[in-house]
C-alpha cells in the first residue's frame, strides 16, 4: 500500500526590496495560491515588523519567521500550515560587504505532514559564498523534518556554493526537467541562480519559473513555483 502524501505549493521569490511594482508583486503571489512563500530581500530595517506584516497581508498570508533577525529572509504561510518553531541565522560579516542570513521554520500542513522550510540569500562575492553555504547546509542537515530549502544563491549549478547546498537534496528544476527556465534577470534572463531543493523523501510534482508581464514588473528576479508531495506522518 502506498503511504499517503500531502500536497504543498511553495513559491520562492527575491522581491528586490519591494522597489518595483508592489501591486504587481501582490497580484503575482495571490494568483499562484502558495501554501508557503520564501522571500529574499524582504523588510529588514526601520519598522521591519510592520512592513513584513503588510507584505504578508498583501499576499493573503501570515508571517512565519524572518525579517531583521535573518537580514531580509522571510517565511510566509497560508492557514493550512501550522508553524511549530522558528529560528534565524546571520552569517559572519566580511568587512565592507553586505550582511546575509537565513530563516527556518518547522511546520505541520493539514495536521498530517511535517517539514522544515528554509530560506537564504548568499553573497554576491564568490569568496564569501562557500562559507555561507556551509553554514546554511549545516542548519539544513540538523533540521528535524524533511527539508524544503529555497535560496537566491547568486551563482549557477555546479559552482562551489551551489554544490554545497545541493548535496544530498533534490534540485526541483532537475526533477521536473526544467533546468532551462532561467530566474535572473527579468530584464535580460541569462542565469538560474534562484534554487529550490527538497529532501529526497519529498516528491516534486511540478516546477515553473513564472515569466509573465506582471512578474517582469514586480521584481528583478522571476519567482520559482513548485508543487510538492510530502510524506504524511506515521
Amino acid at each position: 500500500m502506498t503511504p499517503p502524501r500531502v500536497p504543498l505549493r511553495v513559491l520562492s521569490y527575491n522581491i528586490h526590496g519591494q522597489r518595483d511594482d508592489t501591486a504587481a508583486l501582490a497580484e503575482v503571489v495571490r494568483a499562484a495560491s502558495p501554501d508557503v512563500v520564501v522571500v529574499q530581500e524582504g523588510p529588514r530595517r526601520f519598522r521591519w515588523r510592520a512592513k513584513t506584516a503588510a507584505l504578508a497581508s498583501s499576499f493573503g498570508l501570515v508571517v512565519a519567521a524572518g525579517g531583521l533577525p535573518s537580514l531580509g529572509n522571510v517565511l510566509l504561510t497560508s492557514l493550512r500550515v501550522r508553524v511549530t518553531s522558528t529560528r534565524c541565522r546571520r552569517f559572519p560579516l566580511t568587512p565592507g560587504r553586505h550582511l546575509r542570513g537565513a530563516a527556518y521554520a518547522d511546520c505541520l500542513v493539514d495536521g498530517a505532514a511535517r517539514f522544515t522550510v528554509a530560506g537564504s540569500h548568499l553573497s554576491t562575492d564568490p569568496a564569501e559564498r562557500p562559507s555561507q553555504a556551509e553554514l546554511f547546509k549545516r542548519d539544513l542537515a540538523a533540521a528535524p523534518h524533511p527539508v524544503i530549502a529555497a535560496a537566491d544563491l547568486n551563482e549557477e549549478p555546479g559552482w562551489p556554493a551551489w554544490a554545497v547546498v545541493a548535496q544530498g537534496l533534490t534540485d526541483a528544476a532537475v526533477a521536473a526537467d526544467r533546468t532551462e527556465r532561467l530566474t535572473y534577470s527579468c530584464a535580460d534572463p541569462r542565469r538560474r541562480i534562484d534554487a529550490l531543493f527538497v529532501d529526497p523523501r519529498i516528491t516534486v510534482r511540478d516546477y515553473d519559473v513564472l515569466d509573465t508581464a506582471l512578474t517582469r514588473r514586480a521584481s528583478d528576479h522571476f519567482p520559482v513555483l513548485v508543487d510538492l508531495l510530502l510524506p504524511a506522518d506515521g
Side-chain angles (χ1 to χ4, degrees):
M1 183 176 178
T2 303
R5 312 285 280 180
V6 180
L8 188 78
R9 175 169 283 190
V10 180
L11 185 76
S12 180
Y13 208 167
N14 182 321
I15 63 171
H16 199 208
Q18 297 173 269
R19 295 193 291 272
D20 302 297
D21 187 331
T22 55
L25 177 67
E27 189 172 345
V28 166
V29 176
R30 284 181 174 270
S33 299
D35 300 301
V36 175
V37 176
V38 182
V39 172
Q40 300 91 34
E41 293 196 34
R44 55 177 286 182
R45 293 187 176 90
F46 179 67
R47 298 184 64 244
W48 65 272
R49 289 184 180 84
K51 292 175 181 177
T52 302
L55 177 69
S57 178
S58 75
F59 292 167
L61 302 171
V62 297
V63 179
L68 176 61
S70 59
L71 300 170
N73 295 285
V74 179
L75 306 177
L76 309 174
T77 64
S78 74
L79 296 181
R80 282 188 66 209
V81 178
R82 180 165 69 89
V83 177
T84 58
S85 65
T86 66
R87 50 206 172 275
C88 295
R89 174 190 283 279
R90 293 186 180 190
F91 300 134
L93 174 64
T94 301
R97 306 298 185 187
H98 293 294
L99 286 165
R100 302 286 181 174
Y104 310 86
D106 301 322
C107 304
L108 179 66
V109 58
D110 289 347
R114 297 184 186 277
F115 65 95
T116 297
V117 62
S120 189
H121 184 188
L122 302 190
S123 175
T124 56
D125 185 341
E128 282 190 307
R129 283 196 299 268
S131 62
Q132 294 175 352
E134 291 282 358
L135 290 172
F136 187 46
K137 185 64 174 183
R138 187 183 307 168
D139 292 341
L140 298 180
H145 309 303
V147 164
I148 300 166
D152 174 357
L153 297 175
N154 267 313
E155 66 179 40
E156 296 169 78
W159 288 37
W162 184 295
V164 166
V165 177
Q167 185 177 12
L169 299 175
T170 300
D171 182 334
V174 172
D177 195 23
R178 296 279 181 85
T179 57
E180 81 286 355
R181 301 302 301 256
L182 306 177
T183 67
Y184 182 81
S185 71
C186 291
D188 184 18
R190 291 177 178 268
R191 307 175 70 198
R192 184 166 79 94
I193 63 173
D194 301 273
L196 192 142
F197 303 104
V198 297
D199 184 288
R201 291 169 287 180
I202 297 174
T203 301
V204 178
R205 295 178 63 193
D206 197 17
Y207 170 97
D208 201 6
V209 175
L210 305 182
D211 181 354
T212 68
L214 276 177
T215 59
R216 286 176 179 257
R217 286 165 31 202
S219 179
D220 62 340
H221 287 245
F222 294 114
V224 174
L225 182 65
V226 182
D227 283 299
L228 304 170
L229 288 175
L230 277 58
D233 288 0

